[in-house]
Amino acid sequence: MKYLIPEWKQAHRMWSIWVLVAQAAAGIGAIWDATTPEQTGLSVMTWALISAVLGIIGIPARLLQQKDLARKVAEMIRDEAGAIRSKTAKGAAIGAAVMALAVPVVAKWEGLRTEAYRDVVGVWTVCYGETEGVRPGDVHTRAECASMLEERLFEDYYVPLTRCIPNLPMAPVEVQASFASWTYNVGIGAACSSTLARYARAGDWRAACDQLPRWNRAGGRVWKGLDNRRADERGLCLSGLK
């Protein structure tokens, strides 16, 4: 009912409505005439012509008698567009706040190496733990590394994480930032299929935060550095729940 114009109960008073009713009647008559010609003295062509004329009349009739409708439609479109822009701006602000917390954590624990190197499990890595397309001999500037980290963390880890945990943007930014840092380290596939993600989808943020220390292994071994990183991420995560 909310999509009907306010005057819908008085529609029978608008002459444009009666023109459209006549048009509908003409169309029904044309069908009737096509199936039972003995019921009317007019040909199908005549009925079709009447219907077309009434349709043409109906167009200006609607414009003249319901001139406010176009204004209301325009206002609705403008309001919807404004709501979309507001939602987009809000999402961008949340994303920026999350990155402001997550990037320093990732940078701290990944460390900066401007020349390509092998990590603890033998994967070629550069900058702040970047492994995508890294080849031996690759070299980047500090500025390139910083830009690469922020873009990759947001586009390839945080955004996909919000797809498998749809309610994540409603969590405190500290929770989101800790999960983004963790996902950057373990990978989006492992993150989305984890018990942590299951708790997060259920909205049990504390239980999800408490899952972080479990992710302290690499190559089947427990690493002190990962222990420390998870403790840092868990601390950030829980700080948003106090």
Side-chain angles (χ1 to χ4, degrees):
M1 298 294 286
K2 66 179 181 179
Y3 296 108
L4 295 175
I5 62 174
E7 304 84 1
W8 69 274
K9 291 184 179 180
Q10 286 76 42
H12 65 281
R13 299 178 181 177
M14 303 176 186
W15 67 272
S16 62
I17 291 295
W18 286 107
V19 170
L20 294 176
V21 170
Q23 181 184 11
I28 293 172
I31 295 174
W32 185 314
D33 190 53
T35 54
T36 56
E38 68 276 4
Q39 299 296 319
T40 177
L42 299 176
S43 67
V44 173
M45 184 60 71
T46 302
W47 272 114
L49 180 60
I50 293 173
S51 178
V53 170
L54 290 172
I56 293 172
I57 295 173
I59 294 173
R62 295 305 293 260
L63 294 176
L64 291 172
Q65 291 295 320
Q66 300 181 46
K67 59 184 178 181
D68 287 341
L69 183 60
R71 176 179 57 79
K72 292 175 182 177
V73 170
E75 289 175 353
M76 181 186 71
I77 293 173
R78 184 171 62 252
D79 291 344
E80 289 291 337
I84 291 172
R85 285 194 297 272
S86 177
K87 184 177 180 180
T88 301
K90 183 178 180 181
I94 292 174
V98 172
M99 289 301 102
L101 290 176
V103 168
V105 175
V106 174
K108 171 185 175 181
W109 291 107
E110 294 290 348
L112 174 62
R113 296 275 293 273
T114 57
E115 297 183 9
Y117 66 96
R118 289 185 185 272
D119 66 7
V120 294
V121 292
V123 177
W124 282 103
T125 309
V126 75
C127 293
Y128 295 103
E130 176 61 59
T131 59
E132 184 78 17
V134 179
R135 297 183 299 273
D138 283 354
V139 178
H140 295 275
T141 66
R142 296 178 67 91
E144 288 172 339
C145 287
S147 177
M148 187 186 303
L149 171 59
E150 184 169 359
E151 181 178 353
R152 286 272 284 148
L153 181 59
F154 184 78
E155 296 291 343
D156 297 337
Y157 294 93
Y158 174 71
V159 171
L161 192 62
T162 63
R163 296 193 185 110
C164 71
I165 307 177
N167 56 328
L168 182 59
M170 294 183 287
V173 292
E174 294 88 352
V175 172
Q176 297 184 58
S178 66
F179 291 175
S181 173
W182 163 71
T183 303
Y184 185 84
N185 184 229
V186 305
I188 189 65
C192 286
S193 61
S194 68
T195 301
L196 185 155
R198 178 165 59 83
Y199 281 130
R201 284 191 288 269
D204 192 342
W205 304 117
R206 187 171 298 277
C209 293
D210 287 339
Q211 285 289 308
L212 288 167
R214 298 182 59 192
W215 295 79
N216 62 349
R217 294 176 178 269
R221 296 174 52 193
V222 174
W223 292 85
K224 183 60 175 177
L226 287 177
D227 263 335
N228 294 337
R229 176 171 182 164
R230 297 298 174 248
D232 197 7
E233 290 168 344
R234 179 174 178 271
L236 173 62
C237 192
L238 292 175
S239 72
L241 302 179
K242 294 178 179 179

